[in-house]
Amino acid sequence: MNEAASGWYTFLVTKNSDKYAIAEAVRQEFKVHVTSVKTLVIPGKQKRRGRRGLTITASDRKKAYVRLKKGESIELFGVNTPKK
């Protein structure tokens, strides 16, 4: 939430989505202007299950950090930005 107060918003996205598609989706869904997008792939962790200790690997996830135009915010996050 600290990042949202400074204009950065974090979303979990599909692994095959690119930066342009993410920016367009955020722009259409929330009616805001996207200035930049950073992506990050989080590798899945290995977990042990059962009596035999079988190793199961969780699937990878992808995060997108989206920066909005100064003065804009997404109401879904519920962060009050200070007015200057």
Side-chain angles (χ1 to χ4, degrees), residues 21-53:
I22 294 167
E24 185 63 24
V26 170
R27 185 186 68 78
Q28 287 181 356
E29 183 69 27
F30 299 108
K31 308 292 190 267
V32 292
H33 296 93
V34 176
T35 56
S36 66
V37 177
K38 294 180 182 180
T39 58
L40 167 69
V41 175
I42 303 167
K45 294 182 178 180
Q46 290 187 349
K47 298 179 183 180
R48 298 183 66 133
R49 297 282 186 227
R51 283 198 298 179
R52 292 188 211 161

Side-chain angles (χ1 to χ4, degrees), residues 9-20:
Y9 295 89
T10 307
F11 299 96
L12 279 176
V13 296
T14 59
K15 287 193 292 185
N16 60 354
S17 57
D18 61 349
K19 293 181 180 186
Y20 300 108

Side-chain angles (χ1 to χ4, degrees), residues 62-75:
K62 188 173 188 177
K63 277 187 183 180
Y65 296 98
V66 178
R67 185 170 185 101
L68 302 181
K69 188 176 178 182
K70 195 170 188 172
E72 293 185 343
S73 64
I74 296 176
E75 297 298 323

